[in-house]
Amino acid sequence: MAEDAILGYLATHEEISDSGIFASQHGLQHNDVVNVIKSLHGFRYIDAEDIKKESWVLTDEGKKYAAEGSPEVQLFLAVPPEGSISKDELQKKLDPSVFKIGCSQAGKNKWVDMGKQVSRKVQHVEDKVKDLLIRIQDGQELSKEDNTSLKARKLIVAQTWKGYSVRKGPNYAPNRKKVATDLTRENLQKGDWKDLEFKEYNFNAKGPPPEAGHVHPLLKARIEPFVKQQFRNIFLQMGILVLKFDDVFSFGADCSFEEMPTNNYVESSFWNFDALFQPQQHPARDSHDTFFLEAPSTTKQLPEDYVELVKNVHKDGGYGSRGYNYDWKREEADKNLLRTHTTAVSTRMLYALAKQPFAPKRYFSIDRVFRNESVDRTHLAEFHQIEGLVCDRGLTLGDLIGVLNDFFSRLGMSKLKFKPAYNPYTEPSMEIFSYHEGLGKWVEIGNSGMFRPEMLRPMGFPEDVSVIAWGLSLERPTMILNGIDNIRDLFGHKVDLSLIKRNPICRIGL
């Protein structure tokens, strides 16, 4: 309807000088007219120029006073013509905001005598404010002084009106031609494509951005193929490098790493703690640090001969150790829990390895572990642990440091520091620190050490066999590689989704 009106009007007139006036004269909504003008202008049926008009409109407060009268007049009319009224009584008659503004304006205009008793100074007043507001409502123009006064009282605000003036364009026609947007099979069969006018194809127009999923930084290290491609390749490449520099690291000829099976989240306290020479009174075995299972609460399958050896080394020592000299309890070892580290898996693998004729082995694992601790900027109750170990003859602490430097350099972390530490099942032990550029400080990223004889000898390993091992959370390196200083920005309900979209698809060269 608006299109016919515009094209029809231009057939007999040179221009539409004001789209607002045109819409009003033809009973059309101005928004509808504007939309049609934009469409016709795009196809060059018309030429359009912008029109901008500044006007004043009433605020909600201004509309209220235009209907009910200004506060000063409302207050004046509430004062009796003869005599006076107490200020408290007058206040009860009026809205609090009207009373406050009315007192100020009526006193300023010298209409009333303000005191404990309020009385009129004049008998008749004109509500100029209301009259001015009504004139603005009717579209009339006011003087600059009146506009400034009403604006200062926040009764009016400026509004910019936008419209168009319209003339015939180079492609003007009384009726819009329908242009074809597609060349169809029927057009080709009938041959009418020769007479069709096709819409120009805009090769410069940008299409809508494709909607696509974005892989979370942690998922890149958790799911297939990223674990298999990134971290497994690191271990495999380390094997090749160790073989090449066999004179540096005293490992055997077979340098390939094998991935350990980590499909059991539930583990017994025996494999998680006792087999690692961790005493039963250790704080880590408390319910405040470990998730224990209610059902099934205990395990029923443990190698009894090995359990007896572990029990004896805890109670009485052995292999050069005095042990812990306490009453070791089987019921504590039988308790089921959510594994607190993948070292429980390493213990099982080493126990199985010790039952065979000795051969050097390299193992690694990447999987989920659980700790009963409060979530803060660097800790989670559930996270992923990367673990690696090398079992061979004659290994030293120097071998461990060399392997760690090689491993973490492949993760893009070349600034490393090592600090002596204590672990029940490794001696010597080292904490691993990497420099976090975002935090501007050194951040602990892992732990490492050489497994103690009290752990290895009960399994059946010869005295000259050593095991070097290291472990780290998957989340910490991910934070460092992505410049994140709060783990809650990486995992949990506070994650910034835009971070996921900005994150690179992959990292080349790791």
Side-chain angles (χ1 to χ4, degrees):
M1 183 176 177
E3 182 174 309
D4 294 337
I6 293 171
L7 293 176
Y9 185 87
L10 290 176
T12 56
H13 298 78
E14 272 194 36
E15 70 170 344
I16 297 173
S17 58
D18 189 312
S19 59
I21 297 174
F22 179 84
S24 177
Q25 291 175 343
H26 290 77
L28 302 171
Q29 292 291 328
H30 187 244
N31 285 339
D32 294 339
V33 172
V34 167
N35 290 335
V36 170
I37 289 174
K38 290 179 179 178
S39 175
L40 292 173
H41 180 66
F43 288 97
R44 304 303 307 278
Y45 280 87
I46 60 173
D47 289 331
E49 292 184 4
D50 294 339
I51 297 176
K52 291 184 180 180
K53 294 180 181 178
E54 295 291 336
S55 62
W56 296 96
V57 294
L58 305 188
T59 62
D60 291 339
E61 187 179 3
K63 292 176 183 177
K64 180 180 178 182
Y65 297 159
E68 300 174 2
S70 64
E72 53 267 37
V73 171
Q74 291 186 53
L75 182 136
F76 178 83
L77 295 176
V79 177
E82 302 293 337
S84 63
I85 184 174
S86 69
K87 200 171 185 178
D88 292 339
E89 288 297 320
L90 180 61
Q91 187 172 0
K92 293 177 183 179
K93 289 186 175 185
L94 300 170
D95 182 88
S97 62
V98 171
F99 176 78
K100 181 178 179 181
I101 298 172
C103 287
S104 173
Q105 293 296 326
K108 181 180 178 181
N109 294 337
K110 298 181 180 181
W111 292 350
V112 294
D113 186 10
M114 299 297 298
K116 290 184 178 180
Q117 293 292 120
V118 182
S119 59
R120 292 186 180 183
K121 285 186 175 182
V122 296
Q123 291 301 316
H124 301 285
V125 296
E126 293 182 12
D127 198 343
K128 293 183 179 180
V129 171
K130 179 179 179 179
D131 294 339
L132 293 174
L133 293 174
I134 292 174
R135 286 175 60 189
I136 289 178
Q137 274 186 327
D138 294 340
Q140 300 179 32
E141 292 188 6
L142 305 183
S143 67
K144 185 177 180 179
E145 292 76 10
D146 290 336
N147 285 333
T148 302
S149 174
L150 295 176
K151 180 184 176 183
R153 293 183 62 172
K154 298 182 180 180
L155 302 181
I156 60 173
V157 291
Q159 185 180 67
T160 301
W161 179 90
K162 295 181 180 180
Y164 293 94
S165 64
V166 179
R167 289 177 174 271
K168 294 178 182 179
N171 298 333
Y172 171 80
N175 297 293
R176 190 200 293 247
K177 296 179 182 178
K178 292 184 178 179
V179 294
T181 56
D182 294 304
L183 180 62
T184 65
R185 179 171 176 266
E186 289 73 16
N187 296 146
L188 295 173
Q189 287 177 335
K190 295 177 181 178
D192 59 0
W193 61 270
K194 299 176 183 178
D195 302 320
L196 290 176
E197 183 177 340
F198 289 93
K199 181 181 177 181
E200 290 185 11
Y201 195 90
N202 185 0
F203 289 95
N204 296 320
K206 293 182 179 180
E211 293 293 334
H214 299 270
V215 181
H216 191 280
L218 278 182
L219 291 180
K220 293 176 185 177
R222 288 180 181 172
I223 63 174
E224 201 77 31
F226 292 102
V227 164
K228 308 305 179 186
Q229 294 300 322
Q230 184 170 346
F231 285 98
R232 174 181 277 176
N233 282 349
I234 287 174
F235 281 104
L236 295 178
Q237 291 164 8
M238 283 176 62
I240 295 171
L241 184 66
V242 169
L243 181 61
K244 184 178 179 182
F245 296 100
D246 196 36
D247 57 329
V248 179
F249 303 133
S250 55
F251 299 167
D254 181 8
C255 296
S256 61
F257 276 82
E258 299 177 24
E259 186 170 8
M260 296 183 282
T262 55
N263 52 316
N264 291 331
Y265 291 161
V266 176
E267 191 57 89
S268 68
S269 292
F270 176 80
W271 291 110
N272 197 82
F273 294 124
D274 293 273
L276 289 164
F277 195 56
Q278 190 158 329
Q280 292 184 342
Q281 67 270 26
H282 194 279
R285 300 181 70 155
D286 189 82
S287 60
H288 293 293
D289 294 295
T290 302
F291 293 107
F292 288 95
L293 268 65
E294 291 185 357
S297 60
T298 59
T299 184
K300 297 180 180 179
Q301 295 180 343
L302 291 176
E304 295 301 328
D305 56 342
Y306 179 48
V307 171
E308 190 65 24
L309 292 172
V310 170
K311 172 184 175 181
N312 292 334
V313 79
H314 274 251
K315 289 179 60 178
D316 305 319
Y319 317 105
S321 169
R322 293 184 300 175
Y324 294 116
N325 297 311
Y326 71 98
D327 185 17
W328 188 88
K329 296 180 180 179
R330 175 63 182 266
E331 56 268 26
E332 287 294 325
D334 287 343
K335 288 181 179 179
N336 282 334
L337 47 80
L338 293 178
R339 67 183 180 211
T340 61
H341 47 193
T342 53
T343 314
V345 181
S346 303
T347 309
R348 286 180 177 270
M349 296 297 293
L350 289 172
Y351 173 73
L353 178 63
K355 298 307 176 187
Q356 306 168 8
F358 179 74
K361 284 289 183 180
R362 291 103 185 125
Y363 293 123
F364 78 94
S365 65
I366 308 167
D367 214 332
R368 196 171 302 184
V369 296
F370 308 87
R371 304 276 176 87
N372 188 6
E373 56 187 11
S374 300
V375 175
D376 59 27
R377 65 186 298 152
T378 57
H379 294 88
L380 294 173
E382 173 187 343
F383 58 96
H384 288 70
Q385 183 174 336
I386 304 169
E387 182 162 341
L389 65 88
V390 179
C391 179
D392 205 341
R393 299 183 189 273
L395 296 177
T396 67
L397 189 65
D399 296 320
L400 176 60
I401 292 175
V403 169
L404 292 176
N405 276 301
D406 184 23
F407 177 82
F408 284 101
S409 67
R410 296 174 186 273
L411 284 172
M413 291 180 280
S414 56
K415 294 182 180 180
L416 294 183
K417 279 186 177 181
F418 304 99
K419 176 183 176 182
Y422 168 76
N423 288 316
Y425 46 90
T426 58
E427 180 62 38
S429 306
M430 298 187 303
E431 292 175 345
I432 311 163
F433 292 81
S434 175
Y435 189 76
H436 192 302
E437 298 290 347
L439 292 175
K441 65 179 182 180
W442 293 90
V443 178
E444 182 185 353
I445 57 172
N447 219 320
S448 64
M450 301 183 67
F451 284 147
R452 296 176 67 106
E454 297 95 324
M455 174 184 166
L456 298 178
R457 302 300 169 254
M459 294 179 177
F461 283 112
E463 290 186 6
D464 62 341
V465 170
S466 302
V467 177
I468 59 174
W470 66 98
L472 64 148
S473 76
L474 182 60
E475 286 75 5
R476 290 282 182 88
T478 305
M479 290 173 64
I480 293 174
L481 290 173
N482 290 277
I484 297 170
D485 61 1
N486 192 326
I487 200 167
R488 289 169 291 192
D489 293 334
L490 187 68
F491 184 85
H493 67 284
K494 293 185 177 180
V495 168
D496 179 8
L497 295 180
S498 63
L499 164 72
I500 302 172
K501 295 181 179 180
R502 297 193 307 267
N503 195 257
I505 295 175
C506 64
R507 293 182 180 275
I508 306 298
L510 293 184

